Amino acid sequence: MREPDELKNAGLKATLPRLKVLSLFENSKDRHLSAEDVYKILLSTGEDVGLATVYRVLTQFEQAGLLIRHHFESGKAVFELNQGGHHDHIVCIKCGRVEEFFDEEIEKRQKMAATERGFTIQDHSLYIYGVCTKQPCQPK
């Protein structure tokens, strides 16, 4: 089982709630989950984990570098597994669906813009907000 080693390497004990939350992120079809999403999924599978525990575990995972926190326009924080590699996000403003993408040309243009203005990029994130067009968009 890979999860206990990941937690140990991040300096965290492999407690049952931590293992459950990590497993959920590794196996969920949704890559971006809020604390409430995690809590509801755990409840629906019969797990006895409190919302405060979910918040605490998500914060610990973020601090340990296992998860990345995003604040999309909805104002609600969502988390995704930190799997290395950079990517950007397109977010539907009606239903909240998130798509990830990477575009080498956009990356080059951002670096060029920073260099021309006397900056060296240390980190960046790009969020594009729009409305779903490929599927019927169901507002939340």
Side-chain angles (χ1 to χ4, degrees):
M1 184 181 237
R2 201 178 97 172
E3 294 90 352
D5 289 339
E6 285 181 83
L7 292 175
K8 185 178 176 185
N9 292 340
L12 297 170
K13 281 184 170 179
T15 65
L16 197 54
R18 288 178 182 153
L19 289 170
K20 289 175 183 176
V21 171
L22 185 58
S23 176
L24 192 152
F25 273 93
E26 290 182 331
N27 298 307
S28 175
K29 64 178 181 65
D30 294 320
R31 291 186 33 85
H32 303 87
L33 299 168
S34 69
E36 292 81 10
D37 295 333
V38 171
Y39 177 66
K40 287 176 186 174
I41 292 168
L42 291 174
L43 279 183
S44 74
T45 61
E47 301 297 339
D48 184 24
V49 177
L51 185 57
T53 299
V54 170
Y55 276 107
R56 188 171 49 255
V57 168
L58 293 175
T59 299
Q60 290 167 343
F61 283 5
E62 178 190 15
Q63 291 170 345
L66 295 173
L67 295 179
I68 299 170
R69 180 189 306 246
H70 297 283
H71 294 279
F72 297 134
E73 194 163 274
S74 69
K76 180 170 57 171
V78 294
F79 298 83
E80 73 174 309
L81 272 179
N82 182 358
Q83 297 177 310
H86 171 76
H87 61 267
D88 296 306
H89 299 88
I90 300 176
V91 183
C92 178
I93 60 174
K94 283 188 174 180
C95 72
R97 183 171 67 99
V98 178
E99 289 290 331
E100 298 174 354
F101 72 97
F102 177 83
D103 185 301
E104 187 62 45
E105 191 61 34
I106 291 174
E107 299 301 316
K108 287 179 190 174
R109 299 286 307 244
Q110 290 176 116
K111 186 175 181 180
M112 187 172 65
T115 301
E116 288 172 356
R117 289 158 180 84
F119 289 87
T120 302
I121 295 176
Q122 300 298 305
D123 190 17
H124 77 280
S125 56
L126 173 65
Y127 303 132
I128 298 174
Y129 297 97
V131 177
C132 298
T133 59
K134 291 184 179 179
Q135 62 180 20
C137 180
Q138 301 294 320
K140 284 189 174 177

